[in-house]
């Protein structure tokens, strides 16, 4: 979507390594930043979200950081596993804009 | 708890025809959003319905229209189909309209020939 830019578009990591995906947004009124994971043949599923009053949130191997001043937020996956291979999308709650997606491949 | 279900799963239509896609929202959710996802791209917001009224629309022409029913299920209608309308159409329900996680169905794959 035009309101959020996502990088990189593809990411290949060795199993056990970390993966980082970054998104930047333009609307300063945004205050909710979810991340979705989409596996082949399925709809996107929420994996983690963060609100603007929080700078970081963790859920086991997944973490999200938010920098409102710089207008960017990032997804961090640690100790990657083969089942982490999927397409990941960041979302800007302004007009519910999805990023273009990052295809993550975890090499065994 | 029943998740979001969409029907049909696949559909083939001819250019110029009309199509109706259906979505049953998750129990307790009063908001439904529709997205179009072209191959290899992120979902594009079409519109959102909250308590049977349109509550926001993306950059899609008027031939894309929708409805939400009293039980919060929803329909997406597309008139005068074009080849570029071929895509995966995703429906997502949420507990409320603002800052609420989206729960997606698995989509309807529409092919326009």
């Amino acid at each position: 979507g035009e309101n959020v830019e996502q990088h990189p578009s593809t990411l290949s990591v060795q199993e056990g390594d970390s993966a980082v995906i970054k998104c930047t947004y333009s609307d300063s009124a945004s205050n909710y930043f979810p991340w979705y994971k989409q596996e082949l043949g399925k709809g996107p599923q929420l994996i983690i979200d963060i609100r603007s009053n929080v700078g970081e949130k963790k859920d086991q191997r997944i973490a999200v950081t938010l920098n409102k001043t710089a207008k960017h937020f990032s997804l961090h996956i640690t100790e990657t596993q083969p089942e982490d291979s999927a397409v990941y999308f960041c979302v800007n709650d302004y007009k519910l804009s999805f990023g273009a997606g990052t295809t993550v491949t975890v090499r065994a | 708890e029943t998740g979001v279900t969409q029907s049909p799963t696949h559909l083939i239509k001819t250019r110029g025809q009309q199509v109706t896609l259906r979505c049953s929202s998750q129990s307790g959710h009063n908001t439904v959003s529709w997205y179009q996802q072209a191959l290899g791209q992120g979902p594009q917001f079409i519109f959102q319905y909250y308590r049977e009224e349109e509550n926001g629309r993306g950059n899609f022409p008027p031939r894309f229209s929708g409805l939400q029913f009293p039980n919060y299920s929803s329909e997406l209608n597309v008139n005068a189909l074009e080849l570029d309308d071929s895509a995966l159409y995703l429906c997502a329900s949420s507990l409320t309209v603002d800052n609420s996680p989206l729960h997606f169905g698995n989509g309807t794959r529409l092919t326009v020939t």
Side-chain angles (χ1 to χ4, degrees), chain B:
Chain B
E1 181 179 86
T2 307
V4 176
T5 57
Q6 293 187 244
S7 62
T9 55
H10 296 82
L11 199 54
I12 300 175
K13 288 286 190 177
T14 303
R15 189 171 50 185
Q17 286 187 316
Q18 178 267 343
V19 69
T20 297
L21 309 182
R22 295 179 174 83
C23 172
S24 294
S25 58
Q26 185 165 317
S27 176
H29 289 187
N30 59 22
T31 304
V32 172
S33 304
W34 285 92
Y35 287 84
Q36 179 194 70
Q37 186 176 25
L39 205 59
Q41 297 184 21
Q44 297 294 309
F45 177 65
I46 302 174
F47 44 57
Q48 181 183 74
Y49 278 83
Y50 170 63
R51 293 187 174 180
E52 302 179 58
E53 295 200 359
E54 188 178 290
N55 181 58
R57 187 180 184 93
N59 189 25
F60 281 82
R63 60 191 185 83
F64 285 78
S65 63
L67 280 173
Q68 188 179 30
F69 300 100
N71 66 355
Y72 302 132
S73 65
S74 179
E75 285 183 354
L76 164 65
N77 298 289
V78 187
N79 293 323
L81 283 166
E82 301 176 359
L83 297 179
D84 284 349
D85 295 334
S86 295
L88 180 68
Y89 288 85
L90 294 162
C91 167
S93 71
S94 51
L95 201 56
T96 186
V97 66
D98 288 325
N99 300 342
S100 187
L102 299 171
H103 296 253
F104 283 89
N106 288 330
T108 294
R109 172 71 63 187
L110 173 65
T111 303
V112 182
T113 62

